[in-house]
Amino acid sequence: MKKFEKFMSIGLAAVLCMGLTACGGSTASTEGSAAPASEAAATEAAATEAAAPAETESAGESSADGKVYNVGICQLVQHEALDAATQGFKDVLTEEFGDNVKFDEQNAAGDSATCATITNTFASNGVDLILANATPALQAAAAATADIPILGTSITEYGVALDIDGFDGVTGKNISGTSDLAPLDQQAEMFKEILPDAEKIGILYCSAEANSVYQAETVKAKLEEEGCDVSVYTFADSNDVAQVTQTACDENDALYIPTDNTAASCTEAINNIALPSKTPIIAGEEGIVAGCGIATLSISYYELGRTTGEMAVKILKGESKVEEMPVEYYANPVKKYNPSIAEELGIKIPDSYEAIASE
């Protein structure tokens, strides 16, 4: 070894050239290369090889084979509820697979056409699974691929979203997921419980969201059974939210907003009109109430996302087939209220309601 090192000192340039010829010019990896050029390199290679099994083990038993799972996430728009569902989903997969799961997370900024572009890209890239967060994202994913497993979350009614007649809870397609549907009849009953003097009630939602239409029709029928005069007000997108909200507030004693993604992303604009006009709003989910409403029968979107993530783990590990998995629902919705808006409107909320924590 000493003679070799002396030779290296005397003829370094020549030896380097010979080394380059022997190695074929590759310096990117030690795998499959010639023996280390020095004892230090050999020690380093051995240390690297010894550390590799530990890294694989740290990713969890399910990733012991070193497989990396690529998951595409298409979220319709950024707002509190959808963000929470996406985070819950990612947390479960990260807990299970560690660094062996990679997320391509895309936000469509409320545009259905962008959802189509995003999900078509996922399909072209051959991701292992797609999370579709909100109905337009699910519809786009369903159109993009019939092979890649798709899980929806924040979907109110899968039969409506996917145009499945007689939907029984299992799609029979490459699609399953979780529903954010809280009991609509109980939401309608909240008007009599909190706002017994409200006779004229407006229902406000985005006409482009199929699940909002479903909720509105269901709640309208229930309110009319209770003797209320109900009118429906729809906006096409965020551009006309303020104008339509103003009309609805002028013509009604109170408003109902379903779990509508466009409305959820425009709560500030809605509140800027409803609060000065003293028009109370009962809504389908907590995020909308936190921004512009007084009360809701709410679910936890974070927990909904976690349930969706648990479904994804079973699919990726080969334990369940997506086409056989029933859609899952949130089991324990909670009555919640917005203390600040309720107080400003002078509305007494029953003790059975839980206050929404202020940020």
Side-chain angles (χ1 to χ4, degrees):
M1 179 60 68
K2 290 181 179 179
K3 290 181 179 180
F4 180 73
E5 290 175 346
K6 183 176 180 180
F7 178 76
M8 288 287 289
S9 299
I10 296 172
L12 179 59
V15 173
L16 285 174
C17 292
M18 293 170 61
L20 287 171
T21 303
C23 294
S26 175
T27 59
S29 173
T30 59
E31 293 181 3
S33 63
S38 68
E39 292 180 359
T43 302
E44 182 179 353
T48 301
E49 184 176 349
E55 292 177 359
T56 302
E57 184 177 351
S58 68
E61 292 182 4
S62 57
S63 296
D65 60 357
K67 176 175 173 56
V68 174
Y69 300 99
N70 293 295
V71 176
I73 299 176
C74 179
Q75 180 173 316
L76 173 64
V77 67
Q78 183 176 9
H79 65 71
E80 183 178 348
L82 299 191
D83 292 349
T86 293
Q87 190 61 54
F89 175 83
K90 291 170 61 180
D91 284 353
V92 169
L93 267 69
T94 302
E95 290 163 12
E96 179 67 30
F97 299 120
D99 292 338
N100 284 39
V101 62
K102 306 296 182 185
F103 300 107
D104 184 355
E105 185 174 350
Q106 302 291 330
N107 192 297
D111 185 61
S112 297
T114 303
C115 286
T117 301
I118 293 168
T119 53
N120 283 330
T121 300
F122 290 161
S124 297
N125 291 342
V127 298
D128 296 299
L129 184 141
I130 296 173
L131 174 70
N133 194 343
T135 299
L138 180 70
Q139 293 169 330
T145 176
D147 302 313
I148 297 172
I150 299 168
L151 289 177
T153 192
S154 313
I155 312 297
T156 303
E157 224 297 318
Y158 281 75
V160 173
L162 300 173
D163 195 23
I164 301 175
D165 291 332
F167 177 64
D168 62 359
V170 178
T171 69
K173 305 178 180 181
N174 61 318
I175 300 169
S176 189
T178 55
S179 170
D180 61 358
L181 181 63
L184 296 174
D185 57 341
Q186 294 181 37
Q187 290 185 7
E189 289 168 359
M190 294 169 69
F191 281 91
K192 290 300 182 185
E193 185 176 25
I194 301 174
L195 304 167
D197 296 329
E199 297 179 353
K200 299 184 66 176
I201 298 174
I203 299 180
L204 181 70
Y205 65 92
C206 178
S207 58
E209 298 193 29
N211 278 322
S212 294
V213 177
Y214 168 79
Q215 293 174 81
E217 291 175 348
T218 303
V219 171
K220 181 176 185 292
K222 180 63 177 178
L223 289 172
E224 288 176 340
E225 286 179 9
E226 299 292 334
C228 297
D229 181 5
V230 183
S231 300
V232 173
Y233 301 82
T234 63
F235 43 84
D237 53 39
S238 59
N239 294 320
D240 57 347
V241 167
Q243 179 181 350
V244 175
T245 300
Q246 184 67 66
T247 301
C249 288
D250 290 344
E251 297 177 354
N252 294 279
D253 303 318
L255 300 181
Y256 173 76
I257 301 176
T259 55
D260 184 277
N261 293 293
T262 306
S265 64
C266 296
T267 56
E268 183 177 359
I270 295 171
N271 192 54
N272 287 342
I273 295 167
L275 194 59
S277 70
K278 303 296 183 182
T279 307
I281 296 173
I282 290 175
E285 61 96 4
E286 181 177 336
I288 296 176
V289 171
C292 64
I294 59 166
T296 183
L297 181 64
S298 183
I299 70 169
S300 167
Y301 277 82
Y302 177 77
E303 292 300 327
L304 195 72
R306 287 192 65 89
T307 298
T308 317
E310 290 163 1
M311 296 173 74
V313 168
K314 292 177 183 178
I315 293 169
L316 294 174
K317 293 173 69 174
E319 296 175 355
S320 298
K321 296 181 179 179
V322 64
E323 62 270 19
E324 298 175 356
M325 301 178 80
V327 169
E328 298 195 25
Y329 295 80
Y330 191 78
N332 300 301
V334 178
K335 290 182 176 180
K336 293 189 175 184
Y337 76 102
N338 184 325
S340 61
I341 293 181
E343 182 179 357
E344 186 161 349
L345 295 178
I347 296 172
K348 172 65 176 176
I349 304 295
D351 294 338
S352 57
Y353 283 67
E354 177 183 317
I356 296 173
S358 58
E359 296 182 357

